[in-house]
Amino acid sequence: MAKNLIIVESPAKSKTIKKFLGKNYEVVASNGHVRDMPKSQMGIDFENDYEPKYITIRGKGELLANLRKEVKKADKVYLATDPDREGEAISWHLCHALKLDPKKTSRITFNEITKNAVKQSLKQSREIDMDLVDAQQARRVLDRMVGYSISPLLWQKVKRGLSAGRVQSVALRIIADRESEIDAFIPKEYWTLDADFSVSGFKKPLSTKYYGKIGEREDRAKRENLSQSEVEQIKRELEGASYHVSDIRRSERNKKPPLPFTTSTLQQECSKHLNFATRKTMQIAQQLYEGIAVKGQGTIGLITYLRTDSTRISEEADAACKEYIEQNYGKENVIESNQTAKNNKKIQDAHEAIRPTYVDLSPAKIKESLTRDQFRLYQLIWKRFVASRMHSAKYETISVKIDGNGHRFTSAGSKLVFPGFMSVYQGDEDKEKEKANAVLTKLTKETELILDELKEEQHFTQPPAHFTEASLVKALEELGIGRPSTYAPTISTLISRRYVAKEQKNLYLSELGDIVNQIMVSAFPSIVDVNFTATMEGLLDGVAEGEVEWKTIIRNFYPDLNESVNRAQEVLEKIEIEDEVTDVLCDKCGRNMVIKYGPHGKFLACPGFPDCRNTKPYFEKIGVKCPKCGGEIVIKKTQKGRRYYGCENNPECDVMTWQKPSAEKCPKCGKMLLEKGRKLMCSDPSCGYLKEKPKS
């Protein structure tokens, strides 16, 4: 009997596949990549048309030796690495490392690890797709060029251990630009006016919002952003007014079901609902894809391939899901046609959306076989997929206009009348309360209304929100930067390098990240240009589709990069970063301590190192006295590297602020003034004092 050898990446995947195949199939794992460019050098032969230099990864020698023994025993070898560019490249590297005979070697791919999918892939085996391999080689070489050219410059000018990356540096700039917007934001005051009415027969009042003067066409923004004087004028005009219902409108609104998950939307929803970091989401999804030991069924893959930007679903999966919905939720919930995302040139559509491999394996059925986090992620994927094949939710909406003395108030609400997909899946935006309360639904034009209270409220506009991992992934996807496989490692690198601090869910630019970003923006503007990076991603897609020769991209890219590095080397050499001497004396040897940079930012160190190893935290004074105790306001950092301003006498004094305080005091209330871009504003928002910052 002929012996067939299947090589996959992970032992978990091999264990799952083995149960589908007979004794004439042996399944082994390569444990990921087996060859790569060396870490100790650039690893690119510039004299030989930018040819990458590949070596066996350290520690993989014994594994490759065992794989070669298995290859010798086999009559046919199948390479079954992941169905993407990186997986295609791993198969190509295995061919070279194992010296496989092309005539008896085939490439197979499957989007889900199920019996049918694996057996079907064996019937549709093919040669290695060199277009996909070249696209991965181009990405790897570009990333190596950027990282190994710019990182040494950062080591020399800032500190060792820093890194620059083609996608990473752009993501850092996006975060830095958002921080600049927040810092420069000046809040503006506005007022709103609400009214509560008593309705005969009801204890609960009817709450309404001010709409505007009757007959005037005012834009909504103006109605909702009144000044205090306008509110006072409206209240005066409404004194002694009688009110009546002038209009009641009822209608129906449909809410469409969500699309199945892509990598990006899965990471976003896991961040919002499960509080998972992008890296954790991908790790757990990988486990579900490769296979979980399910009680009574053995090891099975529970979800389809996790790196995808497509919302497409196979006909078989679609039919199975609709049958499941009909049996469990009723035929009236099954959607007739399938919704898909609008055609987007960035979408490769190489895989299906992320979905459960067996829709009849509901989360409740396999809960005992999963860890808590595996269950929560699987449940999210399963519910989203089932919901995508169900009917829209239907709401009954009602809106009412109430007039008095030439002014109009409105109230609106909605009531869920047909849950549709919402009986299975609800996102934050779907969890709408039934706003159409009993008072609103019972109103008629003859209803008698009595004004209970006019409620004016002061508000201030809010700055743009800090990026979270979810919103950053969304921004990267919309801008065309990176691909599904790059989002998680990009964000993880920014956090691990301490360029970005993560507090709660928000991402904050650290002092170190600010320094690196400024160097990148000034010295390598094209590398951190959003449009340039998006265009490069498009070219890499062109390589995968066989439309662009991969070395053409490298030939056009490297000379400009090399010129920028050389120019930056010359310019930045003129800026000598010396240790700043302070007036703080070393407790051990009496020398004046100097300011050093470490992984967490600045610290004080004795210049007598290594004889004296004394260090202290460094708090930079900004020349402003604490308004509470008279101590110095100094620059401090949170544990995760985010900068703030606080009193040197902390914890005895609790004064702190995220914005830089000014030496001036507010002439209106006497409190601290804060710098906001080119303005100075009072630290008390209710004061509202604002003025131009004096030019230094």
Side-chain angles (χ1 to χ4, degrees), residues 336-394:
E336 292 85 8
S337 58
N338 299 327
Q339 57 165 350
T340 54
K342 292 179 181 178
N343 188 26
N344 188 333
K345 291 181 180 177
K346 295 172 191 169
I347 293 178
Q348 302 308 299
D349 209 39
H351 315 298
E352 287 186 65
I354 302 171
R355 61 167 176 82
T357 50
Y358 304 99
V359 72
D360 57 326
L361 281 181
S362 66
K365 280 186 180 179
I366 59 172
K367 185 175 183 179
E368 291 182 6
S369 303
L370 304 175
T371 65
R372 179 174 180 269
D373 286 341
Q374 287 173 344
F375 170 76
R376 293 169 75 202
L377 181 59
Y378 179 72
Q379 181 176 243
L380 195 66
I381 293 169
W382 186 91
K383 285 185 173 182
R384 177 91 165 209
F385 172 60
V386 172
S388 73
R389 270 47 212 161
M390 295 178 74
H391 260 300
S392 300
K394 292 181 181 179

Side-chain angles (χ1 to χ4, degrees), residues 117-128:
V118 173
K119 289 197 169 183
Q120 189 64 29
S121 70
L122 290 168
K123 296 176 183 177
Q124 298 174 342
S125 61
R126 57 171 173 80
E127 294 181 355
I128 288 175

Side-chain angles (χ1 to χ4, degrees), residues 625-696:
K625 295 291 183 182
C626 174
K628 195 170 181 179
C629 71
E632 293 285 343
I633 296 290
V634 296
I635 300 173
K636 295 190 172 187
K637 288 202 185 99
T638 65
Q639 287 185 341
K640 296 188 177 180
R642 187 185 175 196
R643 183 164 61 179
Y644 68 95
Y645 300 87
C647 181
E648 64 179 347
N649 296 323
N650 182 273
E652 289 78 15
C653 181
D654 60 357
V655 169
M656 72 82 62
T657 175
W658 298 110
Q659 280 78 42
K660 185 178 180 181
S662 168
E664 292 184 52
K665 289 187 177 180
C666 176
K668 194 173 175 182
C669 68
K671 294 184 179 177
M672 198 162 51
L673 289 179
L674 303 176
E675 295 186 10
K676 293 286 277 183
R678 297 179 180 178
K679 306 276 187 180
L680 288 178
M681 63 170 288
C682 183
S683 56
D684 182 358
S686 63
C687 170
Y689 178 76
L690 188 71
K691 75 166 205 171
E692 289 287 333
K693 190 165 68 174
K695 293 182 179 178
S696 57

Side-chain angles (χ1 to χ4, degrees), residues 51 89 138 142 169 233 243 257 272 303 327 351 365 383 483 520 531 556 568 577 602 639:
E51 192 66 27
L142 285 171
S169 297
Q233 177 65 28
Y243 299 88
K272 292 175 189 172
I303 64 169
Q327 292 174 356
H351 315 298
K365 280 186 180 179
K383 285 185 173 182
R483 285 297 178 260
M520 292 298 296
N531 293 327
N556 292 333
I577 302 175
K602 296 177 183 177
Q639 287 185 341

Side-chain angles (χ1 to χ4, degrees), residues 15 18 125 138 279 326 423 529 583 586 597 673:
K15 188 178 179 182
K18 271 182 184 178
S125 61
R279 186 174 183 179
E326 185 174 340
S423 58
D529 181 78
D583 56 2
C586 176
Y597 280 88
L673 289 179

Side-chain angles (χ1 to χ4, degrees), residues 253-267:
R253 175 172 64 88
N254 291 341
K255 190 170 187 66
K256 289 184 178 180
L259 293 166
F261 279 129
T262 62
T263 303
S264 166
T265 53
L266 177 65
Q267 290 173 348

Side-chain angles (χ1 to χ4, degrees), residues 17 148 155 227 269 297 331 342 348 350 353 390 435 440 473 498 609 656:
I17 292 173
Y148 277 57
W155 298 354
S227 66
E269 288 298 291
Q297 300 195 47
K331 191 172 183 178
K342 292 179 181 178
Q348 302 308 299
M390 295 178 74
K435 298 175 186 175
L440 194 60
V473 166
R498 298 187 182 275
F609 181 87
M656 72 82 62

Side-chain angles (χ1 to χ4, degrees), residues 16-17 19-21 110-119 288-294 296-305 313-314 316-325 328 352-366 370 378-379 381-383 385-386:
T16 308
I17 292 173
K19 63 175 284 194
F20 301 142
L21 305 171
F110 32 81
N111 193 52
E112 59 187 34
I113 306 178
T114 60
K115 185 175 183 179
N116 289 340
V118 173
K119 289 197 169 183
L288 296 176
Y289 165 69
E290 291 182 346
I292 300 290
V294 175
Q297 300 195 47
T299 304
I300 55 175
L302 293 176
I303 64 169
T304 53
Y305 193 54
I313 294 294
S314 69
E316 295 83 358
D318 179 63
C321 186
K322 287 178 177 176
E323 184 181 344
Y324 180 89
I325 294 168
N328 292 272
E352 287 186 65
I354 302 171
R355 61 167 176 82
T357 50
Y358 304 99
V359 72
D360 57 326
L361 281 181
S362 66
K365 280 186 180 179
I366 59 172
L370 304 175
Y378 179 72
Q379 181 176 243
I381 293 169
W382 186 91
K383 285 185 173 182
F385 172 60
V386 172

